[in-house]
Amino acid sequence: MFNIQSNEQGQEEILSKISQLQLIETDDDNSRQGSPALDSRLLEVIRELPQHLKHKLDSLIPKTNYQLIKQNDDSIYYGIMENLQKQGEGIQIWPKAGNLLEGQWANDQLEGYCRMNYANGDSFECQFSQGKTNGYGIFKSQKKIVKGLWIDNTIQGEGQEIKSDGTKYFGQFQNGKKEGRGILILNDGCKYEGQFKNNAFNGEGTFIWNDGSYYTGTFTKGQIFGFGQYMNGNGIQMIGQFTELKQPRESYKEKNQHLQTIVFVNQYNQSLMIEKIRTL
């Protein structure tokens, strides 16, 4: 069944919601009726929707073969039916969740361009094939916009994630997560280019700080770790082993800043501490 209440969550949770976009319903035969005008029962459903979704229905011009069908998940389908199956254009409304889907159907499954409108103002639009997302899609919310290619309900391959705080990602996705090669531009002016795994820096890459210094080398689970090269703003070069230390969030929560600390060890086992002030 399809029953989504969208809110701002991590990218993987958002894509998990999208992966449920397969409408598997059992029709209520008692509710099949021709609807040459907006059915009074549909008008009752519309009254309960958020205002921005009501506006979407203002321009709805029902056709003589539109039918109103109640689903077992309490959603309402209003559109074209042929041979007891959704066929052609229509809308599906989840009154309790406040969500509305505008779409095309073929043989009772979503087919072609479809758009999901969530009660909180979020939206997801994509090409569908046999009830699954297969094609270019865009997810929009107040906090981010995600664009890319969806395959079998999951974003795969090249894509973009643009956040409202200024953070930008351009690169590859796998199973709904940042994975492969990509570029992440952070809102404090720093930039990472290299390999990602499970939404984090992992493998070979380059991190450039906003003071012009940079590190090129290996990363593990989002942090600098392993052999690499560091060049500071004065042109001093360091080559050896680097380990970024984890910082407790409580230590910088009040100032909205944190100190990024990296330990460098050279070939003679001499160590040096590198510290960077980062803005959250």
Side-chain angles (χ1 to χ4, degrees):
M1 292 296 182
F2 180 100
N3 188 8
I4 293 176
Q5 295 188 10
S6 173
N7 50 44
E8 286 301 334
Q9 301 171 349
Q11 173 69 15
E12 59 273 15
E13 293 180 62
I14 293 173
L15 298 173
S16 175
K17 291 188 301 184
I18 292 169
S19 71
Q20 299 176 46
L21 283 171
Q22 300 180 61
L23 303 185
I24 305 173
E25 337 62 355
T26 301
D27 297 330
D28 179 356
D29 290 333
N30 294 327
S31 64
R32 294 184 191 278
Q33 294 184 10
S35 302
L38 283 178
D39 191 285
S40 61
R41 292 167 297 172
L42 180 61
L43 292 174
E44 188 66 31
V45 170
I46 292 173
R47 290 191 189 101
E48 304 301 321
L49 291 178
Q51 192 63 38
H52 70 281
L53 294 184
K54 290 181 182 178
H55 291 322
K56 286 189 169 294
L57 295 172
D58 287 344
S59 60
L60 178 63
I61 302 174
K63 299 182 179 180
T64 55
N65 58 345
Y66 268 24
Q67 295 184 7
L68 183 70
I69 304 165
K70 182 180 179 181
Q71 314 295 312
N72 278 353
D73 64 354
D74 292 327
S75 67
I76 304 295
Y77 171 77
Y78 186 68
I80 299 173
M81 298 286 294
E82 292 182 9
N83 299 320
L84 305 181
Q85 292 186 328
K86 299 182 186 73
Q87 199 80 21
E89 61 184 16
I91 62 172
Q92 190 141 343
I93 304 169
W94 288 261
K96 291 182 180 179
N99 301 332
L100 182 150
L101 174 67
E102 307 167 83
Q104 300 284 329
W105 276 264
N107 302 318
D108 229 29
Q109 293 183 314
L110 288 170
E111 192 75 30
Y113 175 82
C114 304
R115 178 185 175 92
M116 186 71 184
N117 305 280
Y118 300 97
N120 66 354
D122 295 356
S123 66
F124 174 68
E125 53 189 278
C126 192
Q127 288 289 327
F128 279 72
S129 177
Q130 297 182 345
K132 296 182 180 181
T133 56
N134 278 286
Y136 179 74
I138 303 176
F139 173 84
K140 294 182 180 180
S141 72
Q142 291 183 349
K143 291 187 176 180
K144 68 173 67 176
I145 298 175
V146 181
K147 302 178 181 179
L149 181 66
W150 267 259
I151 300 175
D152 291 340
N153 293 330
T154 306
I155 187 170
Q156 302 274 15
E158 295 297 320
Q160 302 177 9
E161 181 186 77
I162 313 296
K163 293 187 176 181
S164 59
D165 67 359
T167 302
K168 301 177 182 179
Y169 173 77
F170 305 94
Q172 297 174 322
F173 288 85
Q174 185 173 337
N175 297 322
K177 297 181 179 181
K178 300 180 188 73
E179 195 148 322
R181 188 161 188 84
I183 299 172
L184 182 67
I185 302 171
L186 300 168
N187 59 1
D188 64 355
C190 297
K191 175 182 176 181
Y192 171 83
E193 182 172 357
Q195 295 293 322
F196 285 79
K197 185 175 183 180
N198 196 26
N199 289 328
F201 313 154
N202 205 89
E204 296 295 320
T206 298
F207 192 94
I208 304 172
W209 285 271
N210 51 22
D211 62 1
S213 59
Y214 66 88
Y215 164 83
T216 298
T218 56
F219 294 76
T220 300
K221 296 181 178 179
Q223 291 189 308
I224 293 171
F225 185 81
F227 184 81
Q229 169 187 319
Y230 170 80
M231 181 79 74
N232 70 11
N234 296 321
I236 298 175
Q237 185 182 58
M238 303 176 192
I239 300 176
Q241 295 292 324
F242 294 81
T243 302
E244 182 177 344
L245 303 181
K246 292 184 178 180
Q247 302 289 338
R249 292 189 63 85
E250 290 75 14
S251 64
Y252 55 84
K253 188 181 296 183
E254 293 182 0
K255 295 182 179 180
N256 203 35
Q257 292 181 337
H258 78 280
L259 195 64
Q260 185 178 12
T261 304
I262 304 159
V263 177
F264 164 69
V265 180
N266 65 16
Q267 59 182 329
Y268 306 109
N269 206 32
Q270 298 171 322
S271 63
L272 179 68
M273 197 86 72
I274 303 170
E275 293 185 327
K276 300 286 186 180
I277 298 177
R278 300 287 306 284
T279 303
L280 297 181

